Amino acid sequence: MKVSHVLCALICAIACSRALLADTETVLLLHTNDFHDHIRESPSNCGGLPYVSGYVQSVKSNRSDVLLLDGGDVLNKGDFVSNVTKGSVMYSAMKRIGYDVAVPGNHDFTYGLDNLYSNMAVAGFPIVCANADSTSDRPLQLPKSVVVDVDGISVGVIGATTSSGGVSKPWRVLSLEETGRVLAAEAERLEPQVQLTVVLIHRGSNDCRALAKAAPGVDVFVAGHTHEALQQPIAINESNTLIVEAGSNANYVGRLELTIDVESEEIVAHRGELVRLDHETTPCDESMVSWIQDVEKKMCPAVNRVFGQCEKSLNRTRIAQVTAKALRLSADVEIGLCNTKYAFGGLNEGQVIDLNSIFRTHVY
């Protein structure tokens, strides 16, 4: 055998042995987004924060390497009690669940900036955002990022939000191109401190694809805003980056298992999925159910007032038609109008119609 062949064989053997003997650690990212005030158990037998809590508790009881993140739009469009409390009940529930970091979505500014700051104090976990213009008269005063120790692995979590939809703001959200530059700079700044870099972003997968190219130092984008239920992570091969998003309305918890080479600080294996919070298979946090009921009794006791039962399912279009008829009758006029975009949800056949279920059907 020629010497060159022997050397090649030795090099291959050494490389293989190093791969087998590599020092690796795991991080389990659990992620949610776009709760939109869906705090109660859902009447559709899927979802609700008691089931988010039950699932997270079941995972954390067996593992210590869990990082729990939320991709924004905690507020708006859901249960009445959150509207009455201006969202504080949602952030209190998330504190009970044990969230580590969140990013603000456009609907989280529904009640104004001061209210968001108040909800942050209630939450007790950091809310991060790096892509808001700091030169305005009243800038958004949130940290760009935080570093979290996850069972010995240092994870940098950078925040970014969207400029579209919802409430007017006294500052400017940076463009996609500007956001890419900011994320790249922040990832570079964090690089000496961390072994994994995550961007928690209230933007959809298409924007994340572009940002992955602009900020190759980012390992994972945890997305939101577009309500995409990505059953598997999107892998961007050019930058070796993963994108995940977990639907909306507390119907899913995303689960991304990462194996990290401690020396190279690279993701060497990953496995991702969406866990559907089916009420028949997902553990329920009964203590949270009782807590929500207690808050409702105190803050909005009329919320459970029953008006009847739904004889057949009503989708958004039918809800808009019924609303238009109700407006016509109540105003004693010949024409009543309701745009279907203001009908956010429907009613299921056999569902008890109470004040909360009626409130849930409309955007406010």
Side-chain angles (χ1 to χ4, degrees), residues 41-48 50-52 55 251 275-286:
E41 302 169 82
S42 171
S44 64
N45 294 318
C46 176
Y51 288 89
V52 174
Y55 178 74
N251 287 320
V275 178
R276 187 175 184 273
L277 302 178
D278 190 294
H279 292 182
E280 294 183 3
T281 58
T282 308
C284 179
D285 181 352
E286 297 294 347

Side-chain angles (χ1 to χ4, degrees), residues 77-343:
K77 306 180 184 181
D79 290 309
F80 189 59
V81 68
S82 188
N83 175 259
V84 171
T85 62
K86 294 186 177 181
S88 67
V89 68
M90 290 293 293
Y91 287 91
S92 295
M94 292 171 72
K95 180 178 182 179
R96 293 171 68 97
I97 294 171
Y99 275 82
D100 294 298
V101 192
V103 68
N106 48 299
H107 286 281
D108 296 323
F109 299 99
T110 293
Y111 307 106
L113 183 56
D114 288 337
N115 190 78
L116 175 64
Y117 291 151
S118 295
N119 284 337
M120 286 173 57
V122 169
F125 52 79
I127 296 178
V128 292
C129 184
N131 69 331
D133 186 354
S134 61
T135 62
S136 62
D137 292 337
R138 194 179 183 206
L140 182 61
Q141 296 178 334
L142 297 178
K144 292 182 178 181
S145 64
V146 293
V147 177
V148 184
D149 182 274
V150 183
D151 204 26
I153 294 292
S154 293
V155 182
V157 183
I158 308 169
T161 192
T162 182
S163 59
S164 64
V167 184
S168 60
K169 309 171 186 69
W171 64 89
R172 182 177 69 90
V173 176
L174 302 181
S175 69
L176 191 65
E177 183 178 353
E178 292 171 309
T179 296
R181 291 196 291 268
V182 167
L183 294 181
E186 188 66 7
E188 184 178 1
R189 186 187 73 82
L190 290 175
E191 196 277 331
Q193 309 172 49
V194 303
Q195 294 149 296
L196 179 71
T197 302
V198 176
V199 167
L200 189 54
I201 180 166
H202 196 67
R203 292 176 181 257
S205 63
N206 285 339
D207 284 355
C208 291
R209 289 175 188 270
L211 293 171
K213 295 177 181 179
V218 175
D219 298 300
V220 179
F221 285 85
V222 176
H225 187 54
T226 51
H227 299 195
E228 297 168 73
L230 299 179
Q231 299 296 330
Q232 297 291 329
I234 297 172
I236 309 299
N237 294 329
E238 312 93 88
S239 56
N240 196 30
T241 304
L242 302 172
I243 301 170
V244 295
E245 188 171 351
S248 64
N249 299 347
N251 287 320
Y252 298 97
V253 171
R255 181 183 177 111
L256 180 62
E257 180 100 37
L258 301 171
T259 303
I260 301 166
D261 185 316
V262 176
E263 184 176 350
S264 67
E265 299 182 351
E266 294 180 352
I267 298 172
V268 295
H270 74 272
R271 185 175 70 255
E273 63 176 332
L274 287 189
V275 178
R276 187 175 184 273
L277 302 178
D278 190 294
H279 292 182
E280 294 183 3
T281 58
T282 308
C284 179
D285 181 352
E286 297 294 347
S287 66
M288 179 166 283
V289 173
S290 298
W291 174 76
I292 294 168
Q293 291 172 347
D294 289 343
V295 175
E296 287 182 334
K297 288 176 183 177
K298 179 180 179 182
M299 303 302 299
C300 48
V303 73
N304 293 305
R305 180 184 173 189
V306 174
F307 298 94
Q309 189 171 22
C310 190
E311 294 182 358
K312 60 181 179 179
S313 296
L314 301 177
N315 60 20
R316 292 174 64 172
T317 300
R318 288 290 294 130
I319 289 292
Q321 292 170 343
V322 170
T323 302
K325 183 176 181 179
L327 290 171
R328 189 174 74 247
L329 293 173
S330 63
D332 193 23
V333 295
E334 294 183 2
I335 298 175
L337 299 175
C338 178
N339 194 317
T340 53
K341 75 176 183 178
Y342 294 110

Side-chain angles (χ1 to χ4, degrees), residues 66 78 130 161 216 352:
V66 179
T161 192
V352 172

